[in-house]
Amino acid sequence: MRANKISAVLLAAGKGVRFKSDLPKVMHKLIDKPMIYYPLRALLRAGIEDIVVVLGFGAEKVKEYLISEFGEKIFSFVIQKDQKGTGDAVRVALPKVGSEKFIIVYGDMPLIDETIILELMHSFGEEKFVVTSFLTEDPYGYGRIVRDRKDNLLKIVEERDATDLEKNIKEVNAGLYLCSTRLVRKYIGKIKNKNSQREYYFPDIFQYAISDHIDVKILESKREFLLGANNRVELSEILRILQKRINTAHMVNGVTIISPDTVYIGRDVEIGRDTVIYPNVFILGKSEIGSNVVIENGTIIADSKLSDSVTVKAYCYIDKAIVLKNSIIGPFARLRPDTIVEEEVHIGNFVELKKTHIGKGSKANHLAYLGDAEIGDGVNVGAGTITCNYDGERKYKTVLEDGVFVGSDTQLVAPVRIGRNAYIGAGSTITEDVPANSLALSRVVQKNIEGWVLKRKKKKIGR
Ligand code: UD1
Ligand code: CA
């Protein structure tokens, strides 16, 4: 037993029947992350790094996601074969709990953050159990907190088992507890499933503790951090609260968001001051946006880094890319993974970049596909340029050295290297390397047939 450490049990075995979904409930997304991400983030930020996760429906999917997001180290996983209730889920987790006290958190409360967890930890004192509650005008679906005359907890009664009088209670059980491990071990076996759902309700444990005169404290906390998602309607209400919380924090920090109701920014995105975000923009994942950046309408940015003073015009898609200072992207540009755009570059409309590094001050202003390319500084890529990087089996590299000028409608058949300051005439298909400072032309020589139109007309009339 580690005396001072607190571990946590996260309940995530339920199917989420009311979601009517093939996906486990906790894998439904809010902005850019599944629901279960948020309580875990909160636990970690509160310093809790020993977490038992109870899995059941879709266990493999949830486990795989959690390990990919947070690594393996902090978790122990247990499987609850049949979802017989929250009391049963805690019972299954108990053998893996190695601390004297532990937090229980339900996996379907994504508005929770570390301040709530810290508040719970600080409230523990000499208490043997702490139950978190909140007040709500619409308590439907929640377990009600029933207090005695001295305002102490008497019991928690579920919606389906509540009397009409109890249903009027506006104080509800949040699904977040701090418990003495020893006492949970002592009482967990006493919980019965004699209720309308034939389930083992964890909150029933408090009745047994209370009848043995053991202290159960109620910590009243905030609704907007504790709402649960039992269906997609509740999920959308939670999404709105989360979106507003995140966007407000950025605005307070000096970011202009023109229409915050239409902008979705992931929990872990960083944005510098004086950046302006137009309507209908999504910035997701581990994106870092500098200051004085402009992001216009309809743009989606995921796991990307934009340095200071970058402008992204309307309707761009930027995924796992890096764009350095003063560059201008779009409108209608697509930057695919492993693209690096150096400073002062112009990427214009209908230009797609994939695994391409484009040097300082270079330009690809219209209609181009540049894949697996290494492009130097001061390069001009004409309209309609295409890197033919794929032969159906393998991908090959295109290199354009500094100062190259690529005429419009050129195909660069990779692997191919264009030397410094070389020119490529418009309409060329380049299959061989081009030496520095030379001109490459590969199009058919033009021939003019004089008077051809007149001759043709005469012929027609003669017929
Ligand atoms: C639960 C509480 C209720 C509280 C509400 C707060 C119980 C009996 N009821 O009700 O008092 O007001 O949360 O949102 O605890 N789970 C398992 N295994 C199971 C059953 C559930 O892991 O056998 C997990 C679910 O995946 C979910 C969480 O426990 O993440 C809560 O279960 P859910 O069915 O959503 O409980 P509620 O009916 O919302
Ligand atoms: Ca719930």
Side-chain angles (χ1 to χ4, degrees), residues 18 25 86 106-109 141-142 174 227-231 234:
R18 291 161 280 185
K25 170 159 84 171
T86 49
Y106 292 175
D108 63 347
M109 41 195 307
Y142 288 95
L227 284 172
N230 286 328
N231 58 47
E234 290 172 356

Side-chain angles (χ1 to χ4, degrees), residues 127-189:
E127 254 67 45
K128 305 295 189 277
F129 289 100
V130 186
V131 174
T132 317
S133 76
F134 63 92
L135 294 171
T136 175
E137 278 311 303
D138 181 18
Y140 178 81
Y142 288 95
R144 308 297 202 279
I145 301 282
V146 184
R147 296 186 186 238
D148 66 13
R149 279 204 212 109
K150 287 185 183 156
D151 255 5
N152 292 320
L153 183 71
L154 201 59
K155 60 174 177 175
I156 295 172
V157 54
E158 293 304 307
E159 175 82 36
R160 297 214 230 173
D161 307 298
T163 62
D164 286 346
L165 212 64
E166 288 167 338
K167 279 184 185 151
N168 286 331
I169 297 173
K170 300 230 156 65
E171 187 183 9
V172 300
N173 171 30
L176 172 66
Y177 320 93
L178 185 49
C179 308
S180 142
T181 311
R182 184 179 61 82
L183 292 177
V184 175
R185 290 212 165 103
K186 180 169 175 191
Y187 291 111
I188 194 93

Side-chain angles (χ1 to χ4, degrees), residues 380-385 405-411 423-428 443:
N380 198 315
V381 176
T385 296
F405 182 98
V406 182
S408 297
D409 193 23
T410 290
Q411 298 107 56
Y423 266 63
I424 296 173
S428 295
R443 57 190 181 225

